[in-house]
Amino acid sequence: MTGLSRRRRLAAVAVTALCALAGAGCSSTTDGPSDGGAYLVWDPYPQFADDSEWVALLKKCGTSAGVTVERTGYDTTDLTNKALLAAQQGNSPDVLIVDNPVISTLAEAGALTTTEENKLDVSSMEANLLGAGQRDGRTYGVPIGANTLALYYNKDLLTAAGVDPASVKDWTSLTAALTKVKAKGKKGITFSAIGTEEGSFQFLPWFWGSGAQLTALDSPQAVSALTLWTDWLKQGHSPNSVINNTQTTSWQEFATGDYAFAENGTWQLANAEKLGFAYGTIAIPASAGGPAPAPTGGEFVSIPVQNKTDRYAASQKLVACLTSADNLLTTDTTLSYVAPVAAVQERQAAADPKLKVWVEAVRAAKGRTGDNLGTKYPKISEPLWTAVQAALSGAKSPREALTAAQAAATAR
């Protein structure tokens, strides 16, 4: 790609794709990389102060690479905007850690180097997690960890209803469990179906678990998934509040102790330990059984394109250090992530048996921008969450809502 064509592509993506994906206004300012001294690392972890284990690891990796690391933590939305604008200005950080759906946008813009170019070994990474960072057969970063969704359950409510959590293996057995809970005067399952990316994120395990594909939103399988959710509302198994629930508010509903199940993620593990009742977790079941593919959250460690190519050698050492097996174990424990390497996943599950279900869920998961969708994903996701809203509110039938969604996605 020539310098001129790359600048034009960056400018086009800056105006369209990234601002749409981030869902926030773009700023024209940047803190900008250095002129040769410290190596800049940008990450989406502003919650970690300079005395945190995460920053200590960055400094340790810098020492190992023979360079000084200057780290800045940004809010996720702010970071994605700044990353593209910095690339436009030829002022990118040396190492960039971003949410996995953003990788496709930056790669399309020509803002990232490939792992092949920088000789980063990704052979030990789980293929389903690596897929979120791939486009047209090329890999644009190394996953640092993943989170995903599963079902938390209230042990006391299930015991009182005579439900063995191990019996919940598919949609039929899950709905049967909800029916038993309702018969005992309690509530079934809560989740987030809000009209944002969170709503699509929470619907995807059911969508993919039906066998549906994002390129055909109106398939019979997709209709069956949305029908499952709408039927739960009609039958009183789920509250009407799911239409406006974020993942945080649905967790708050579960924390009341009135719900048997809640769909949520690994990021609630610390809060789960504070619940006033005993809890457990199971994988979200696919329609016909087995764990459903849930979408992956988590970040990739990437090396942006630099004008001074002699900086790549040290950047490669930084990324290799951050994603080494031993460091991943420490980092993913800090971030409540499941590691992207099978051997490290086993060590996590051995150290904390409660992570076994999450390891299983991550192994079955897939990236939202996978299947080579890349920057097409946001154009599909919005019509999808709009369809979910329309069906759950009763404005349209599941089939009508998804037919409209497919038409909208095709027109974009």
Side-chain angles (χ1 to χ4, degrees):
M1 183 186 296
T2 67
L4 180 60
S5 65
R6 178 173 172 270
R7 286 195 296 273
R8 285 173 175 168
R9 180 172 291 186
L10 280 164
V13 175
V15 173
T16 56
L18 189 58
C19 287
L21 184 65
C26 290
S27 166
S28 61
T29 61
T30 176
D31 296 335
S34 59
D35 56 4
Y39 274 63
L40 297 195
V41 177
W42 290 0
D43 68 48
Y45 314 129
Q47 69 271 31
F48 294 127
D50 289 344
D51 59 353
S52 65
E53 291 184 6
W54 168 246
V55 175
L57 174 60
L58 288 173
K59 291 179 179 178
K60 171 186 170 185
C61 287
T63 299
S64 177
V67 298
T68 299
V69 168
E70 184 178 315
R71 171 260 182 178
T72 305
Y74 293 102
D75 172 82
T76 297
T77 297
D78 197 23
L79 176 59
T80 52
N81 289 334
K82 286 183 180 294
L84 189 58
L85 290 168
Q88 282 182 271
Q89 297 164 0
N91 212 16
S92 293
D94 296 284
V95 175
L96 178 64
I97 304 170
V98 291
D99 194 19
N100 71 68
V102 180
I103 290 289
S104 294
T105 299
L106 294 173
E108 182 177 289
L112 300 178
T113 64
T114 67
T115 54
E116 182 179 12
E117 288 171 327
N118 278 297
K119 297 180 174 57
L120 287 166
D121 183 9
V122 294
S123 60
S124 65
M125 301 290 162
E126 294 289 277
N128 65 320
L129 301 183
L130 199 60
Q134 294 175 324
R135 183 175 183 271
D136 296 330
R138 296 176 179 175
T139 304
Y140 289 89
V142 186
I144 199 169
N147 54 32
T148 193
L149 297 164
L151 293 181
Y152 288 85
Y153 63 84
N154 183 319
K155 290 184 177 181
D156 297 337
L157 292 191
L158 292 190
T159 298
V163 175
D164 180 357
S167 70
V168 178
K169 298 181 179 297
D170 53 25
W171 290 1
T172 300
S173 55
L174 175 55
T175 301
L178 300 180
T179 301
K180 290 182 179 179
V181 170
K182 184 184 176 186
K184 290 292 184 179
K186 293 297 184 178
K187 301 174 183 178
I189 183 169
T190 181
F191 48 87
S192 168
I194 193 171
T196 67
E197 177 58 25
E198 280 189 78
S200 289
F201 189 80
Q202 288 243 318
F203 183 59
L204 280 174
W206 313 95
F207 181 89
W208 283 331
S210 72
Q213 301 294 321
L214 286 171
T215 49
L217 298 180
D218 57 351
S219 69
Q221 294 90 343
V223 172
S224 73
L226 190 48
T227 299
L228 178 74
W229 270 21
T230 55
D231 283 352
W232 282 350
L233 262 68
K234 291 176 183 177
Q235 295 161 8
H237 296 320
S238 297
N240 289 329
S241 59
V242 299
I243 297 174
N244 297 312
N245 269 351
T246 64
Q247 293 180 112
T248 297
T249 55
S250 68
W251 178 261
Q252 291 168 348
E253 287 180 337
F254 180 65
T256 64
D258 292 332
Y259 290 84
F261 293 95
E263 178 183 355
N264 229 294
T266 48
W267 51 89
Q268 297 291 6
L269 282 169
N271 288 329
E273 295 301 319
K274 302 173 186 175
L275 292 170
F277 52 86
Y279 80 95
T281 51
I282 58 173
I284 297 171
S287 174
T296 55
E299 288 78 40
F300 270 65
V301 188
S302 60
I303 299 178
V305 171
Q306 299 288 344
N307 291 327
K308 296 180 179 180
T309 58
D310 59 346
R311 297 181 70 85
Y312 290 147
S315 296
Q316 189 273 347
K317 291 179 181 178
L318 285 172
V319 176
C321 177
L322 290 172
T323 57
S324 68
D326 286 341
N327 288 336
L328 278 175
L329 183 63
T330 300
T331 298
D332 290 334
T333 299
T334 299
L335 299 175
S336 292
Y337 281 171
V338 172
V341 178
V344 182
Q345 292 174 354
E346 296 295 340
R347 290 170 65 184
Q348 287 181 296
D352 184 356
K354 288 182 179 178
L355 290 178
K356 184 177 180 180
V357 169
W358 295 103
V359 168
E360 177 186 11
V362 164
R363 286 178 175 175
K366 60 189 294 185
R368 286 162 280 173
T369 58
D371 297 330
N372 217 35
L373 286 177
T375 54
K376 295 177 183 177
Y377 173 73
K379 301 173 184 178
I380 295 170
S381 178
E382 184 172 354
L384 182 59
W385 82 56
T386 301
V388 171
Q389 287 268 297
L392 294 183
S393 68
K396 294 179 181 178
S397 70
R399 184 178 302 279
E400 290 169 341
L402 289 169
T403 297
Q406 181 59 35
T410 302
R412 294 186 173 207

